Every structure is written in C-alpha cells, then in structure tokens.
Amino acid sequence: QVQLVESGGGSVQAGGSLRLSCSASGYSGGCMGWFRQAPGKEREGVATIYTNGGSPYYADSVKGRFAISHDRAKNTLYLRMNDLKPEDTAIYYCGARPSYDICLASLWSGTIDYWGQGTQVTVSS
C-alpha cells in the first residue's frame, strides 16, 4: 500500500522561502510530482520528476523559483520554493505514479495514482 505524507507547509511573507517534503512508503519508483489547489480553483500541476533521474518539468508560473528533487535513499520528494508570491497560496499535494512514463503529461493532466493529504502554504503580501 502506497502512502505519501507531506510536511513543511506554513505561512511566509512574499519573497520568502519554504521547503516541502513528501515521504513515500510502499512506493518503488516512477513519476512523482507536486500539485496545488488554491481556494475556488482547480488543482494544477507545479512540478514533476522521474525518481530514477532526468530533467524535471515545471509549470511556467514557478519556473526559476521552485526546484523539485528526489532522494532515492530516503524515498522522499522535495519542493524548494523561493521568492514566494501571494498567488502561490494553496494546498500543496504530493502525487505519484508507479510507472516511468508521461511525467510531463501528468503535470498538465494530473494523471496520478496516489495522493498525499496535502499541506497548506500561505503567502502574505
């Protein structure tokens, strides 16, 4: 049984930084990513990455500010968020697919098999 547990959310002022973590258990690898849902909006992809390496994929709105990474030894996914803006305020979800395919497409489609419970990120101006 795959379980994803996010941590690291919180409240920061604009321009600040946060690092989110997603600890995975029962998961042997594939495509993982971060997604977010702001109040009144649909969930959107933020960044995805293959756990066996390769270039990550980012939404245009976070390119140059966010960095996704994966530690295979810890089976943990990270999202480093710099220069945070009020529009980054959302619940951030960790997601995973048990296969090494369509990681870019999953960023846009949200084609994910497993989800974490989410962690709140609030950015004040």
Side-chain angles (χ1 to χ4, degrees):
Q1 182 179 358
V2 175
Q3 287 191 322
L4 305 174
V5 180
E6 301 100 332
S7 61
S11 297
V12 296
Q13 290 191 327
S17 299
L18 284 173
R19 190 181 78 158
L20 306 182
S21 300
C22 172
S23 178
S25 59
Y27 178 67
S28 58
C31 172
M32 296 189 77
W34 290 97
F35 300 77
R36 66 187 182 186
Q37 186 167 21
K41 295 187 177 181
E42 293 187 355
R43 184 154 51 189
E44 63 176 358
V46 175
T48 56
I49 190 170
Y50 288 113
T51 60
N52 61 354
S55 298
Y57 305 103
Y58 294 99
D60 287 344
S61 60
V62 305
K63 279 181 181 177
R65 300 189 298 122
F66 290 12
I68 188 172
S69 61
H70 180 261
D71 186 326
R72 297 189 71 179
K74 296 182 179 180
N75 207 3
T76 299
L77 184 73
Y78 301 99
L79 184 69
R80 177 67 180 180
M81 304 184 293
N82 295 324
D83 190 23
L84 283 160
K85 303 176 180 181
E87 51 263 41
D88 295 317
T89 294
I91 299 175
Y92 284 70
Y93 296 92
C94 173
R97 286 177 49 83
S99 56
Y100 291 93
D101 61 4
I102 67 169
C103 219
L104 174 57
S106 294
L107 179 65
W108 311 121
S109 66
T111 307
I112 295 293
D113 296 89
Y114 309 109
W115 293 99
Q117 82 287 351
T119 185
Q120 177 71 47
V121 172
T122 302
V123 185
S124 58
S125 58

